[in-house]
Amino acid sequence: MIKLNVGSGPTPAPGWIHIETNQDHIRALFNAGISAAEIERVDFTSHLPWDDDSVDLLVSHHALQMVPYVKLRSTLAEWYRIVKPGGRIRISVPNTLAAFNAWLSADAGWFPIVDEAETSLDGKLCAYLTWYSEARTVFTFGWLQEL
């Protein structure tokens, strides 16, 4: 079974292939015991080195929002190309609508932004939506389904 963790970040997932280019994340994966064979240093927005219909499961947690808007459709098409019929793609992205609802209801505790980074509710909303300037695209559930 081939399981890909796309844009895995520094969190190890034993038994998965981690697709990552960030050197700090790769070092953290190695330090956590992930072997070189479990890390692919490829740009996940380009052609991926797997055959058509060859991957059983592709997971991307909070990486798709880092993709430039103009590359979203081609990136997702590439992910679908490599996943087997009946295979699974699981994508999570920051929840834009829930963030606005938390902001509207003044629920600063909803945001995963520490007070050391931003103390105000407005600051927490902005830091969350841009993820400290790393996010390039925001999503709603409906638009992600549409894509």
Side-chain angles (χ1 to χ4, degrees):
M1 178 178 259
I2 299 175
K3 301 184 298 185
L4 303 181
N5 188 349
V6 177
S8 65
T11 306
W16 290 71
I17 298 170
H18 300 74
I19 299 176
E20 186 58 69
T21 57
N22 181 299
Q23 291 304 311
D24 291 333
H25 294 172
I26 291 169
R27 263 190 298 283
L29 290 168
F30 281 131
N31 290 339
I34 299 298
S35 72
E38 295 173 289
I39 300 173
E40 281 287 334
R41 298 174 192 206
V42 296
D43 175 1
F44 65 78
T45 68
S46 299
H47 179 77
L48 295 172
W50 286 274
D51 294 332
D52 294 2
D53 305 327
S54 63
V55 172
D56 298 282
L57 180 58
L58 183 150
V59 171
S60 174
H61 292 296
H62 290 251
L64 192 60
Q65 72 271 14
M66 307 306 182
V67 175
Y69 178 85
V70 298
K71 292 187 87 175
L72 286 173
R73 284 182 170 80
S74 62
T75 297
L76 290 169
E78 179 63 8
W79 294 4
Y80 276 92
R81 177 190 70 78
I82 63 173
V83 172
K84 293 177 180 178
R88 299 270 191 245
I89 295 178
R90 180 176 223 168
I91 299 169
S92 64
V93 292
N95 190 331
T96 303
L97 295 178
F100 277 112
N101 286 333
W103 179 76
L104 287 170
S105 64
D107 183 5
W110 181 90
F111 295 95
I113 308 297
V114 297
D115 287 341
E116 290 79 17
E118 291 296 337
T119 56
S120 73
L121 182 63
D122 286 355
K124 288 179 184 296
L125 172 68
C126 294
Y128 179 80
L129 291 176
T130 64
W131 204 251
Y132 307 100
S133 298
E134 290 183 23
R136 304 186 73 183
T137 306
V138 296
F139 295 92
T140 62
F141 181 73
W143 188 52
L144 186 55
Q145 282 184 307
E146 191 180 313
L147 288 170

